[in-house]
């Protein structure tokens, strides 16, 4: 409807074309859905291309965020391990000092 192609809404609805299905449509499938105008198909295909590019960009951004979180989590884990080793060493040194006295 936002593309001024509301004449196709009823057929898309009747065929249960949702967002996921929409992204799978190509020119021949659009034609089979009753979209006889090549201009209308071109509009839809251009918009679908934009949507796919946007989805891919969002997916890559999500992957980047997940990698950054994982890197941060590993760094924090390493710091905890270092602190634990220092604490163990200090405890061990204190125990040895007490035993020597």
């Amino acid at each position: 409807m936002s593309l001024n192609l509301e004449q196709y809404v009823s057929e898309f609805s009747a065929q249960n074309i949702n967002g996921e299905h929409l992204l799978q449509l190509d020119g021949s499938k659009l034609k089979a859905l009753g979209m006889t105008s090549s201009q209308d198909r071109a509009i839809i295909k251009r918009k679908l291309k934009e949507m796919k590019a946007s989805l891919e960009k969002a997916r890559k951004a999500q992957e980047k965020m997940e990698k950054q979180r994982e890197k941060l989590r590993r760094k924090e884990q390493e710091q905890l391990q270092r602190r634990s080793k220092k604490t163990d060493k200090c405890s061990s040194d204190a125990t040895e000092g007490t035993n020597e006295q």
Side-chain angles (χ1 to χ4, degrees), residues 31 57 67-68 89-90 98 100:
K31 205 172 195 178
K57 186 177 179 181
K67 285 180 182 179
Q68 288 174 340
K89 188 175 187 308
C90 288
T98 303
E100 287 178 5

Side-chain angles (χ1 to χ4, degrees), residues 17-66:
I17 303 297
N18 61 20
E20 189 175 326
H21 290 122
L22 189 62
L23 291 172
Q24 305 303 318
L25 297 179
D26 60 12
S28 62
K29 291 177 184 174
L30 289 169
K31 205 172 195 178
L33 284 167
M35 195 173 279
T36 55
S37 168
S38 61
Q39 288 178 324
D40 291 351
R41 286 193 308 271
I43 290 169
I44 292 284
K45 289 191 291 186
R46 184 173 44 250
K47 190 64 173 177
L48 288 173
K49 186 176 180 180
E50 290 171 11
M51 289 170 63
K52 288 176 184 178
S54 179
L55 285 171
E56 182 63 18
K57 186 177 179 181
R59 184 189 63 78
K60 286 182 179 181
Q62 179 69 28
E63 285 178 358
K64 184 177 178 181
M65 288 281 274
E66 287 174 8

Side-chain angles (χ1 to χ4, degrees), residues 78-94:
E78 288 171 2
Q79 287 176 346
L80 285 172
Q81 288 174 347
R82 280 190 221 118
R83 287 182 192 146
S84 177
K85 286 179 183 178
K86 279 185 179 180
T87 303
D88 290 347
K89 188 175 187 308
C90 288
S91 295
S92 176
D93 289 348

Side-chain angles (χ1 to χ4, degrees), residues 69-85:
R69 283 188 198 125
E70 180 62 24
K71 186 177 178 180
L72 183 59
R73 189 193 64 75
R74 273 189 251 132
K75 188 175 180 179
E76 289 173 349
Q77 188 68 30
E78 288 171 2
Q79 287 176 346
L80 285 172
Q81 288 174 347
R82 280 190 221 118
R83 287 182 192 146
S84 177
K85 286 179 183 178

